[in-house]
Amino acid sequence: MNEIKAPAGVDPLKPSVARMYDYYLGGKDNFAADREAAEKIIEILPNLPDIARENRDFLIRAVTYLSQRGVRQFLDVGAGLPTQRNVHQVAQELAPESRIVYVDNDPIVLVHARAILAENDRVRAIEADMREPEALVGHPEVREHLDFSRPVAVLLLGVLHFIPDDEEAGKIVAALRTPLAAGSYLVVSHGSIGELSEGQEEEGRKVFSQTSVPGTTSRSLGQVRAFFDGLDLVEPGVVPLHEWRPDADYAVVREGKAGALGGMGRVS
């Protein structure tokens, strides 16, 4: 395949979680180092690309649900690369006035997002880290683009499992929820991996140690549900992604150790 050119400031030799995810989805915005790292993870979790696609389908259904209920502001934290059927595409198809802020700490995400900004003045992309959530929600561009006195949907899709410490993950979610007005929503999807051998876990840690993330973890149904404490859970609650309001013809991914849970909660 023809290799993409690395933008200024981007190290093509250092694997990126965002570009690895792009590879899982069948995208082309990745480098040899990303593909090598991704393939090592796929050796451990062969159905991971299926789960990545399932996560994207969950995004589409969740944003559609929110748009149909009048939500017009979206804060997508850990957005990754803007691939097919991203948040702004789904939301603006239903409501062109929708405003979206993509947040990521990977420079290549911002490089790609600039192409969107050139033709869509209702989309912003900022560089920020969810590990500093107060700075993220207080970022001048976030505050300029989104009106927190009105409903905002905060999306944390496939990112909290990169925060291994449970207390830190809880604090991140709490800080991102704090400024939300009544009628706002929190949407979370989270990896829930079956039992791995000690060797598989060690190999996974080695791969992710080459990236900018602090590590990965799997959380139980109860742990993921706790992120929604104090919110009104949207039916069917926190469930495997394929069980969250599936379309009639939705195809469930094949069995494997990789899995993911998802849910949505409303601020009352």
Side-chain angles (χ1 to χ4, degrees):
M1 65 182 292
N2 293 326
E3 190 71 279
I4 62 171
K5 183 178 179 181
V10 173
D11 182 0
L13 301 180
K14 181 177 182 179
S16 157
V17 168
R19 296 193 301 267
M20 289 167 65
Y21 186 71
D22 175 71
Y23 179 72
Y24 299 144
L25 289 172
K28 298 179 180 179
D29 291 310
N30 47 72
F31 301 114
D34 306 308
R35 296 189 288 275
E36 181 180 351
E39 285 294 344
K40 288 179 180 178
I41 297 299
I42 292 172
E43 286 178 12
I44 301 170
L45 300 168
N47 67 323
L48 188 55
D50 292 329
I51 299 301
R53 288 187 286 272
E54 191 175 81
N55 190 58
R56 180 46 53 103
D57 290 340
F58 172 69
L59 177 156
I60 294 168
R61 299 197 305 277
V63 173
T64 298
Y65 175 93
L66 293 166
S67 296
Q68 290 173 340
R69 282 150 186 81
V71 176
R72 298 293 181 262
Q73 302 187 105
F74 298 84
L75 180 62
D76 187 0
V77 180
L81 294 169
T83 55
Q84 296 85 358
R85 303 295 289 159
N86 213 8
V87 174
H88 74 283
Q89 294 166 318
V90 178
Q92 291 181 342
E93 280 181 7
L94 296 169
E97 70 275 21
S98 297
R99 304 173 77 86
I100 296 92
V101 176
Y102 291 124
V103 180
D104 210 284
N105 63 353
D106 189 330
I108 198 171
V109 171
L110 302 181
V111 170
H112 284 269
R114 290 192 183 103
I116 297 171
L117 298 181
E119 58 188 38
N120 194 329
D121 62 2
R122 294 186 181 274
V123 182
R124 297 283 187 277
I126 69 164
E127 185 173 2
D129 196 321
M130 67 176 172
R131 288 170 288 187
E132 299 177 353
E134 290 86 359
L136 190 161
V137 294
H139 193 287
E141 286 192 70
V142 172
R143 291 293 175 162
E144 183 273 331
H145 198 60
L146 302 180
D147 179 0
F148 280 84
S149 69
R150 298 170 55 236
V152 175
V154 174
L155 311 179
L156 290 162
L157 302 181
V159 293
L160 286 173
H161 47 239
F162 293 120
I163 306 296
D165 184 87
D166 292 338
E167 183 177 356
E168 183 181 7
K171 287 181 177 178
I172 288 170
V173 174
L176 294 175
R177 286 174 47 175
T178 294
L180 298 180
S184 296
Y185 288 82
L186 172 71
V187 185
V188 173
S189 65
H190 195 293
S192 183
I193 307 302
E195 186 174 346
L196 300 177
S197 69
E198 185 174 332
Q200 289 173 318
E201 290 183 353
E202 178 60 26
E203 182 60 28
R205 281 193 291 268
K206 286 180 181 178
V207 174
F208 284 109
S209 70
Q210 302 172 50
T211 73
S212 60
V213 302
T216 60
T217 192
S218 176
R219 290 189 169 93
S220 67
L221 179 65
Q223 288 175 305
V224 176
R225 188 182 288 126
F227 293 132
F228 298 97
D229 285 350
L231 301 181
D232 299 324
L233 269 175
V234 173
E235 290 294 333
V238 178
V239 294
L241 294 185
H242 65 269
E243 295 181 14
W244 198 91
R245 298 178 172 268
D247 301 326
D249 59 350
Y250 187 77
V252 179
V253 299
R254 62 185 174 81
E255 293 296 319
K257 289 184 178 179
L261 303 167
M264 178 188 294
R266 185 178 187 273
V267 179
S268 57

